[in-house]
């Protein structure tokens, strides 16, 4: 309850995928990919996104190694999450995204180019999070 709009980020060094989701309907929509320079996003564009959508929660995909151990990227993604929280004061959660980029690639297989792949991955992260929340505990 009280969950409204969720923004999810698929963190990368050159591109950061973004998806917006509605916790009530459990739907996710890919948004334009944000350019990043060596992992540093355009914070102004993120500020505008947050202003536009008014999310109550930010999700950041955590790129763990397949065996579940942290990778160099997962430390950077965690730092990105802390910065998001520090700048905007919105609750941030990290979501294990080990399977999301595989699934995103499958979904994009019939599509042209890899333009929106990062944002499709953000969608998959968000849908996975909704699915986990919908599952009864225990």
């Amino acid at each position: 309850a009280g969950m409204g709009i969720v923004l999810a980020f698929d963190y990368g060094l050159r591109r950061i995928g973004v998806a917006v989701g509605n916790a009530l309907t459990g739907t996710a929509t890919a948004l334009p990919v944000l350019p990043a320079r060596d992992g540093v996003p355009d914070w102004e564009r993120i500020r505008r996104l947050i202003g536009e959508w008014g999310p109550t929660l930010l999700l950041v995909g955590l790129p763990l190694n397949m065996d579940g151990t942290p990778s160099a990227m997962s430390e950077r993604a965690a730092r990105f999450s802390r910065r998001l929280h520090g700048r905007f004061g919105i609750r941030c959660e990290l979501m294990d995204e080990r399977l999301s980029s595989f699934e995103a690639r499958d979904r994009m297989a019939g599509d042209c180019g890899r333009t929106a792949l990062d944002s499709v991955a953000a969608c998959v992260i968000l849908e996975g999070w909704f699915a986990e929340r919908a599952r009864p505990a225990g």
Side-chain angles (χ1 to χ4, degrees):
M3 290 299 309
I5 301 297
V6 182
L7 271 182
F9 297 92
D10 178 52
Y11 179 78
L13 296 181
R14 288 191 305 279
R15 288 178 306 273
I16 297 173
V18 192
V20 62
N22 183 321
L24 289 174
T25 58
T27 52
T29 308
L31 296 175
V33 173
L34 297 169
R37 188 173 292 138
D38 192 29
V40 179
D42 181 340
W43 288 109
E44 178 54 30
R45 284 180 68 166
I46 293 180
R47 192 186 65 72
R48 285 205 299 268
L49 270 177
I50 286 174
E52 184 182 344
W53 295 100
T56 53
L57 176 74
L58 305 175
L59 270 187
V60 177
L62 192 62
L64 298 169
N65 294 320
M66 271 309 178
D67 60 1
T69 56
S71 64
M73 273 302 281
S74 59
E75 179 44 51
R76 298 193 70 159
R79 193 182 314 147
F80 173 65
S81 167
R82 289 194 297 273
R83 287 192 181 148
L84 278 172
H85 178 70
R87 274 173 187 259
F88 304 110
I90 299 170
R91 192 159 68 89
C92 283
E93 280 186 26
L94 292 165
M95 170 85 186
D96 179 353
E97 62 156 57
R98 269 172 290 179
L99 300 172
S100 67
S101 40
F102 294 113
E103 197 176 318
R105 250 170 237 133
D106 289 348
R107 288 198 195 189
M108 293 287 285
D111 218 315
C112 50
R114 76 159 264 127
T115 43
L117 183 64
D118 307 271
S119 285
V120 173
C123 263
V124 175
I125 292 166
L126 196 45
E127 286 168 359
W129 186 82
F130 286 146
E132 269 185 22
R133 286 181 65 87
R135 240 178 258 137

